[in-house]
Amino acid sequence: MQRSTMSALTALIVFSAAIQVFRLSVNLEITSFTSRIDESKSESYVANDVLEAVLTDEPFQDAAALLRNRFRMLYRPDENLDVLDKGYYYPSGVDPSAATEEIARRFALSVAQERPFKISFGGYSVTAGRGNYFREAYPQVFSELFAGVAKEAGVELLFSNAAIGGVPSFPYGWCMENYYGRESDVISWEFTLNEGRQNDLFEAFLRYSTSLPRRPLVIISDGRYDVRGVQNRRKVLDHYSSIHADSFFIDARGAYMRFAGGTKEEYDEKDKKGWPEGFLNFHEFTTPPAAPGKAPHHPGFQHHKLAAFLIAIRLLDGLQFFVENRDRLMNDINKKREVKKKEDGIKLPDATACSNLPIYYGCGDQNEVPTHKCWTSYKPSLAEISLKQIVSEESLDPVSFDKTDLDDTYAAFLAASSNRFAAGWISTLMPKEMNAKRQVEIYQLGYIDSKELFLGSSSSGELKISVPVGDETNFIVVCEGSDGDVAINGDEYCNLEKHADFWLNDNKLKTEQISVGGNVDGIDPCIALDVGDISDLDEENDSQLRILVVNENTICGIAQIITFG
């Protein structure tokens, strides 16, 4: 079997333990949290059914039974229906059993093509695991739970967590190939805390997900901080059920609300006698007391574990269907029957919303995702399509800053306007991000996300970027990445529409601010450059996009370039 080459975005998770390991240990707790969890157990709940379930000598069935019974032991879903009733949402009008078969077909296709099954997670700081260790974020816990079971089914799991704190679904959604990789079978996004009522962004995200070659199943982690926003996004998924029949929501917050309450204070006041183990210590973080990230809106490790189990149990339904119907599903694939060709494109339903630019998510009867390509400096992302690959070195300061030298970088920000970055643009982190990185290293938290960008002032000269554009190119979108950290000496926040000029070759470009959900001081970070009227663009010979900061009282940081058309 040919293995895919590992990239910077993904790490191959291979579990070699035999099924006997599952039989010997039902407890799959993350090691670092074991010593912190309350030792009290439910008085009436015992594991006899778990032990009986594994005595079949069928490795996959044993592993699947252990995972399901582990879920039952922790949460008692038979007694506490909220765990299932509120923990999941499936598109209305879709038969769950039919959706399960669609998931099974995805597993079958990966086996037939002799390749790993790729699951890619994205999101904000919750998905990145803030407040806990990176290895304890729900994507990593999911992989711990699921990869061994998948292996017993003959499925090799490939997994990545490309969550980036503070980055909204757009421009992320325009850069799915960069963050998720092209060959994902499943992708996930988190709306738990952010973009509360912006269901239009979720619609855009769903539409752009279909541009990935395998048209991945989309898992949406959505909470109940804004009930109306959750309801609106569910209606959007309903609208797209014809092409996202096997996609689903998980709502760990909704699943535990009956037990844990909405706040830590409410939780602490409750009598927890007889509670299922999975709801004990629910709001507790696992990192040292002084470690960063323990904000009230960041969930504790038990919350992450519940989210991981919700995903694992649902995908296990599909995996079990595959194992039990392997011959039929593989025969369908071999005969090229009933298997959708992902590369043939897809006709999208009409959009329910409309934007000021068609690149956003399409208006009315626009039924195809625009052709687009992204370059980003944020990490983790694929190095071969990073922004660094297309920025001209002659634009950059030849003596780059030490990214760990916080004092020197602050000094550069605080210098007189005429002296800041006079030797050219620099590739660096903002001071706030740099300080966060230092904390990650001190406490060995393991986070891998990094909001690097190209930073310049009016003294830095032009940032020159080689961009492949052709006659079909209509827009170039440029996104700023300062995250509100550039005004530390009283300057203005960067507004690309007002504070910078843009040229493509010798053509000065008109700019238009576009809303992508995340903003700094009320300013949206992305602008669109209209290049549709420029003639003689040759995609085989890159054009040069030039950016010049013209306001002496601001610093701008460029993080993403996206072409459309």
Side-chain angles (χ1 to χ4, degrees):
M1 174 177 177
Q2 299 238 332
R3 297 180 181 269
S4 298
T5 303
M6 291 186 64
S7 70
L9 178 63
T10 61
L12 183 60
I13 309 298
V14 178
F15 289 83
S16 59
I19 190 61
Q20 283 77 10
V21 175
F22 288 94
R23 296 177 180 176
L24 291 174
S25 176
V26 178
N27 191 337
L28 301 179
E29 302 289 344
I30 299 293
T31 302
S32 66
F33 189 67
T34 304
S35 61
R36 298 175 177 86
I37 199 163
D38 192 333
E39 294 298 330
S40 63
K41 299 289 189 293
S42 168
E43 297 177 0
S44 62
Y45 206 82
V46 294
N48 290 338
D49 57 340
V50 180
L51 298 177
E52 293 173 1
V54 301
L55 299 178
T56 66
D57 290 326
E58 295 183 17
F60 170 75
Q61 297 298 346
D62 289 354
L66 279 167
L67 181 55
R68 292 189 188 282
N69 280 282
R70 175 72 176 144
F71 180 63
R72 290 177 55 213
M73 288 179 65
L74 285 172
Y75 308 108
R76 300 187 219 156
D78 296 337
E79 302 172 30
N80 309 303
L81 296 179
D82 284 359
V83 174
L84 296 178
D85 290 348
K86 295 183 179 179
Y88 294 106
Y89 181 81
Y90 309 108
S92 65
V94 174
D95 181 355
S97 62
T100 298
E101 182 168 352
E102 285 300 309
I103 297 173
R105 290 184 181 278
R106 293 183 183 273
F107 286 118
L109 192 60
S110 73
V111 173
Q113 295 177 345
E114 298 185 338
R115 59 168 176 80
F117 188 86
K118 173 71 183 302
I119 302 181
S120 305
F121 290 85
Y124 288 83
S125 54
V126 169
T127 304
R130 299 293 195 266
N132 306 281
Y133 293 97
F134 181 62
R135 62 178 178 271
E136 295 168 337
Y138 70 86
Q140 279 83 321
V141 180
F142 159 78
S143 74
E144 292 279 348
L145 294 170
F146 197 74
V149 185
K151 182 181 179 182
E152 296 298 346
V155 174
E156 183 181 15
L157 185 69
L158 191 65
F159 143 84
S160 69
N161 183 351
I164 305 174
V167 177
S169 55
F170 283 85
Y172 198 109
W174 288 322
C175 305
M176 290 185 183
E177 180 179 345
N178 306 67
Y179 299 122
Y180 292 133
R182 284 180 55 81
E183 305 302 326
S184 292
D185 298 281
V186 178
I187 63 173
S188 177
W189 185 259
E190 163 221 332
F191 282 96
T192 310
L193 300 172
N194 303 283
E195 306 179 49
R197 299 188 180 183
Q198 293 167 307
N199 53 294
D200 52 349
L201 293 173
F202 173 53
E203 178 170 23
F205 194 89
L206 280 182
R207 292 174 75 88
Y208 273 87
S209 73
T210 65
S211 65
L212 294 174
R214 293 177 188 161
R215 290 213 318 270
L217 180 163
V218 180
I219 300 172
I220 308 100
S221 177
D222 212 347
R224 293 174 174 264
Y225 285 93
D226 188 324
V227 174
R228 183 180 299 178
V230 174
Q231 293 172 341
N232 288 341
R233 284 188 287 274
R234 290 180 177 182
K235 290 178 182 178
V236 171
L237 184 60
D238 293 343
H239 181 71
Y240 287 86
S241 61
S242 62
I243 61 172
H244 280 291
D246 55 356
S247 297
F248 59 94
F249 283 81
I250 64 160
D251 184 358
R253 180 176 171 81
Y256 79 67
M257 281 287 287
R258 174 180 160 197
F259 286 95
T263 66
K264 187 178 186 304
E265 289 73 21
E266 293 174 352
Y267 176 85
D268 289 341
E269 292 175 0
K270 296 194 175 191
D271 180 2
K272 303 174 185 61
K273 183 178 180 180
W275 277 25
E277 179 188 342
F279 294 112
L280 299 175
N281 305 288
F282 207 85
H283 294 281
E284 289 189 12
F285 297 111
T286 61
T287 54
K294 294 180 172 63
H297 54 270
H298 286 155
F301 172 63
Q302 291 283 66
H303 183 138
H304 280 275
K305 187 164 63 174
L306 174 55
F309 263 104
L310 289 172
I311 297 171
I313 294 299
R314 179 54 184 148
L315 293 185
L316 181 59
D317 292 339
L319 187 64
Q320 192 144 12
F321 190 101
F322 161 63
V323 170
E324 294 171 356
N325 299 272
R326 182 188 300 261
D327 291 343
R328 175 172 67 84
L329 295 174
M330 298 299 284
N331 189 51
D332 286 346
I333 292 172
N334 291 335
K335 292 183 177 181
K336 298 183 180 180
R337 292 188 295 112
E338 301 179 14
V339 179
K340 298 175 183 178
K341 294 182 178 180
K342 310 297 183 186
E343 66 273 14
D344 286 347
I346 183 173
K347 183 178 180 180
L348 296 171
D350 290 351
T352 63
C354 195
S355 74
N356 59 331
L357 290 172
I359 59 173
Y360 200 5
Y361 34 68
C363 297
D365 60 355
Q366 181 175 326
N367 298 120
E368 294 182 358
V369 172
T371 301
H372 61 286
K373 188 173 180 64
C374 169
W375 296 265
T376 179
S377 56
Y378 283 3
K379 297 177 181 178
S381 60
L382 293 175
E384 56 266 30
I385 45 177
S386 71
L387 187 54
K388 185 177 181 180
Q389 299 297 316
I390 60 173
V391 169
S392 171
E393 290 188 4
E394 67 179 79
S395 302
L396 304 179
D397 183 344
V399 181
S400 61
F401 285 92
D402 180 349
K403 294 175 184 176
T404 63
D405 195 335
L406 186 63
D407 295 334
D408 283 355
T409 304
Y410 264 117
F413 277 98
L414 293 168
S417 297
S418 59
N419 296 328
R420 285 180 298 187
F421 314 127
W425 292 67
I426 65 170
S427 175
T428 188
L429 297 171
M430 300 301 292
K432 183 172 69 175
E433 287 294 314
M434 209 171 292
N435 187 52
K437 279 292 181 185
R438 179 176 291 177
Q439 296 295 308
V440 169
E441 293 174 2
I442 290 173
Y443 292 101
Q444 300 180 357
L445 303 176
Y447 306 138
I448 61 174
D449 56 310
S450 178
K451 290 192 280 191
E452 297 178 20
L453 42 74
F454 288 89
L455 203 65
S457 70
S458 58
S459 304
S460 304
E462 295 179 338
L463 180 65
K464 299 176 181 178
I465 304 171
S466 297
V467 183
V469 293
D471 291 338
E472 300 299 319
T473 305
N474 297 312
F475 297 95
I476 299 174
V477 167
V478 179
C479 294
E480 207 263 338
S482 68
D483 199 26
D485 204 17
V486 297
I488 58 176
N489 59 345
D491 291 344
E492 298 179 62
Y493 288 111
C494 180
N495 182 331
L496 289 176
E497 187 176 28
K498 298 178 179 179
H499 296 162
D501 287 341
F502 299 83
W503 289 266
L504 186 64
N505 299 331
D506 294 324
N507 302 281
K508 189 171 183 180
L509 303 175
K510 295 181 179 179
T511 62
E512 181 174 353
Q513 205 93 43
I514 54 177
S515 176
V516 294
N519 61 69
V520 175
D521 197 36
I523 301 171
D524 284 298
C526 296
I527 60 165
L529 309 173
D530 189 347
V531 300
D533 294 333
I534 299 177
S535 59
D536 301 325
L537 294 178
D538 183 1
E539 194 165 3
E540 294 184 2
N541 298 298
D542 292 349
S543 296
Q544 189 174 77
L545 176 67
R546 294 181 286 130
I547 304 173
L548 178 65
V549 178
V550 295
N551 186 314
E552 293 185 354
N553 298 312
T554 193
I555 301 169
C556 292
I558 306 301
Q560 289 92 19
I561 302 289
I562 308 105
T563 59
F564 293 86

